[in-house]
Amino acid sequence: MKRLLLTFAALIGFAGTAQACPNWSLNPIYGQYNVSMGQLRAGQQLSLTAGGDNNIRSCRNVRPRTDTGDGYFGSSPDARIFVNGVEGRTLKLEVRSNCDSALLINTGTATWYYDDDDAGNLDPQIVLTRPQSGQIDIWVGTYDGAYCDAVLMMSAY
């Protein structure tokens, strides 16, 4: 009986850990948006708060194809965008903030991308050179678990 209780407790602990990781199936905090190529060519911005309690190094469900490293993100995406007609274009997502922000996205092909500092000045940037139309879930976090005001910028060319 004791072994059964310990096994049950361990399973509950693992389930709690999995729920505390970024999860694309949760509703986005700042909303979802249909974004046209015309809007992306002009550039789009979303003000939000960067940060979160979940270090992605502890999340087995998040395995970025790009950079790896520390980054603290919320469980729910900050934003969800639906893009059409981006094939043959370049899609750029970047963050501007006054802290060491980080960026995590999950594309419609269930591919994770992460960046910490590629935009310079401790700001992240992810450039998709072969994007596909569909859903992109976006998390804006921070490298060290702090919270700060940030602006997510999206453009295509």
Side-chain angles (χ1 to χ4, degrees):
M1 182 68 163
K2 182 177 179 182
R3 184 175 179 176
L4 180 63
L5 289 174
L6 288 174
T7 302
F8 181 70
L11 289 173
I12 290 172
F14 289 135
T17 300
Q19 292 173 348
C21 290
N23 183 341
W24 60 268
S25 68
L26 297 174
N27 290 326
I29 296 169
Y30 294 93
Q32 54 187 34
Y33 307 92
N34 291 314
V35 183
S36 70
M37 271 307 301
Q39 290 171 312
L40 287 171
R41 277 195 293 271
Q44 297 295 299
Q45 295 185 357
L46 176 64
S47 295
L48 46 79
T49 299
D53 297 328
N54 311 310
N55 187 336
I56 60 167
R57 281 192 184 260
S58 302
C59 297
R60 290 182 285 193
N61 66 317
V62 179
R63 294 291 173 244
R65 290 185 64 190
T66 52
D67 293 348
T68 58
D70 285 317
Y72 290 81
F73 298 91
S75 297
S76 296
D78 288 303
R80 176 171 293 138
I81 62 170
F82 296 93
V83 294
N84 288 306
V86 294
E87 289 81 1
R89 307 281 185 176
T90 298
L91 181 62
K92 181 168 77 170
L93 298 103
E94 65 182 287
V95 175
R96 294 286 182 230
S97 69
N98 291 324
C99 64
D100 191 355
S101 54
L103 181 60
L104 179 69
I105 67 171
N106 185 285
T107 66
T109 60
T111 304
W112 291 96
Y113 295 89
Y114 165 85
D115 185 65
D116 179 29
D117 294 332
D118 282 359
N121 196 34
L122 301 178
D123 287 326
Q125 170 181 280
I126 295 174
V127 178
L128 300 175
T129 57
R130 292 185 308 231
Q132 294 184 0
S133 294
Q135 177 176 321
I136 300 175
D137 292 297
I138 305 165
W139 290 259
V140 178
T142 58
Y143 181 78
D144 58 5
Y147 287 83
C148 70
D149 292 334
V151 176
L152 169 67
M153 298 180 294
M154 300 169 280
S155 61
Y157 47 93

